Amino acid sequence: MEACTRKLAHLRRWEHPPHRVTRFSSFHPGAGEAWRDRVRGRCRELIHAFADDGEVEVYGQFARQYPTRIFMEMMGLPVDRADELLSWADDLMAEGIGGEARKIAGLNIYGLLIETFEARKAEPRDDLMTLLVEAEVDGRRLTDAELAEYGMLLYMGGLDTVASILACMFRHFAESPEDRHAITADPGLVDSAVEELLRAYAVINTGRVVTRDADFHGCPVKKGDRVLLSTSAAGRDPDVFENPATIDIRRSPNRHLAFGAGPHRCVGSHLARLELAIALEEWHRRIPDYHIVDPDRIVTKGGGVVGIQRLELAWDSR
């Protein structure tokens, strides 16, 4: 593992465009649509498991499980180890966690990815890991170190982002019965509601490393400093959005930056939109009315991915 980690340093010299084309082939809109029935089926299974209970902790029992299991199926990672893989991601990204815990989590993730890539070289399957093993960039196959970085990028990007925004969405609809009743009565509003809640509750805060000493609008930064680029705040810019603090599920146009922009735009945005829309459709078809059990027990999180880590909802199961 240490040898692999040392090899990763050269990846900063990658040519970005050809490598991005490699990733995009699995996440274009048509590819996401091919998963629609599978995504809907997984969503219904999870909701069915607790719908008759009259209560659920949304983040742990639904929002986290739903996109994670779908993405692990796509990747070709062991779905029965979902909780373990999620705990590694949490350790790697959690605020204030010790360096040793981060290192162990990272080594565990890289170890699993490398093991899976080696298995796909010997026995290809219909999954993203096989696609990466067989992909070519500028006429060559990816190196082992490049494969490890691709796997880590997809692993971290696909595990908790959709979960975080889903929990924020359910909190909004629990606190806003008018909007909840609107999408329940007219599922055609769901896509617009998804875009508006992505704008209002964008969960990604992108980090960057300063490449040279500089002064940024009066703020001195030094080479090697890590800076947080809170592009999520762009969704509340009054110069771009009228009444930005108001949630309007019919807002149009809605040019938010929840998925970033330009060459670094999230390659999984089409799949994420599909998952979010189906979750709202299926949930409100089965559980149209619900409320927050105790607002004081809501747990939020910050860092690279912000959001809600605990949200208890209840409803009349009759």
Side-chain angles (χ1 to χ4, degrees):
M1 283 306 306
E2 291 182 3
C4 176
T5 303
R6 287 196 298 270
K7 291 179 183 179
L8 300 180
H10 83 281
L11 298 178
R12 296 172 183 171
R13 300 196 299 271
W14 278 5
E15 290 288 335
H16 185 268
H19 282 269
R20 187 170 175 84
V21 168
T22 299
R23 295 203 306 274
F24 255 130
S25 63
S26 296
F27 290 103
H28 61 73
E33 286 299 311
W35 275 75
R36 180 176 290 274
D37 290 343
R38 191 178 300 189
V39 171
R40 193 174 297 278
R42 175 66 71 180
C43 185
R44 287 175 175 173
E45 288 174 9
L46 288 167
I47 294 171
H48 178 74
F50 56 73
D52 291 335
D53 296 340
E55 61 182 11
V56 70
E57 194 287 288
V58 174
Y59 183 76
Q61 291 179 253
F62 178 69
R64 201 177 193 214
Q65 299 292 329
Y66 165 58
T68 297
R69 293 175 183 275
I70 292 166
F71 198 77
M72 289 176 67
E73 288 179 23
M74 292 183 69
M75 287 280 284
L77 296 173
V79 177
D80 59 346
R81 295 178 63 185
D83 290 339
E84 181 182 19
L85 271 62
L86 279 166
S87 70
W88 292 345
D90 287 344
D91 286 349
L92 200 62
M93 298 184 70
E95 291 182 291
I97 195 167
E100 187 63 24
R102 282 178 181 269
K103 180 179 178 181
I104 292 172
L107 291 175
N108 283 334
I109 295 170
Y110 276 122
L112 174 64
L113 293 172
I114 292 169
E115 177 184 318
T116 306
F117 280 127
E118 290 302 314
R120 294 302 181 272
K121 290 177 185 178
E123 185 179 341
R125 296 185 185 178
D126 183 17
D127 56 33
L128 284 176
M129 302 294 271
T130 299
L131 178 69
L132 290 173
V133 165
E134 297 179 347
E136 292 188 359
V137 176
D138 292 336
R140 67 170 179 83
R141 293 287 178 92
L142 299 175
T143 67
D144 289 345
E146 289 170 342
L147 285 172
E149 278 298 270
Y150 264 123
M152 176 64 85
L153 176 67
L154 293 171
Y155 181 100
M156 298 305 297
L159 287 190
D160 66 344
T161 50
V162 173
S164 293
I165 189 64
L166 262 181
C168 293
M169 287 181 171
F170 281 113
R171 179 179 185 176
H172 170 77
F173 285 118
E175 295 176 335
S176 307
E178 183 177 342
D179 285 350
R180 186 174 72 247
H181 296 157
I183 66 166
T184 300
D186 181 8
L189 285 174
V190 165
D191 287 344
S192 175
V194 165
E195 296 306 313
E196 175 66 348
L197 294 171
L198 282 167
R199 174 196 72 84
Y201 301 112
V203 299
I204 301 296
N205 283 315
T206 303
R208 290 290 185 268
V209 178
V210 178
T211 59
R212 65 179 185 275
D213 292 353
D215 186 284
F216 184 75
H217 295 277
C219 178
V221 291
K222 295 183 178 181
K223 181 179 179 179
D225 284 351
R226 293 190 63 85
V227 295
L228 192 67
L229 308 177
S230 190
T231 53
S232 58
R236 302 294 184 115
D237 187 347
D239 292 336
V240 179
F241 300 98
E242 184 177 356
N243 299 321
T246 299
I247 306 298
D248 178 4
I249 62 173
R250 295 173 177 82
R251 186 185 296 271
S252 180
N254 199 339
R255 299 180 61 193
H256 59 74
L257 294 179
F259 293 112
H264 290 282
R265 178 182 170 80
C266 173
V267 297
S269 60
H270 302 299
L271 176 62
R273 283 187 165 104
L274 179 68
E275 291 174 335
L276 293 170
I278 286 177
L280 295 184
E281 290 169 3
E282 294 299 329
W283 180 289
H284 292 95
R285 181 179 290 118
R286 184 73 185 270
I287 308 170
D289 288 301
Y290 49 91
H291 61 274
I292 296 172
V293 174
D294 182 354
D296 291 337
R297 294 216 298 261
I298 296 175
V299 178
T300 61
K301 65 174 180 176
V305 180
V306 302
I308 296 174
Q309 283 188 307
R310 184 171 185 83
L311 176 65
E312 299 169 81
L313 300 180
W315 57 91
D316 185 348
S317 60
R318 293 173 297 178

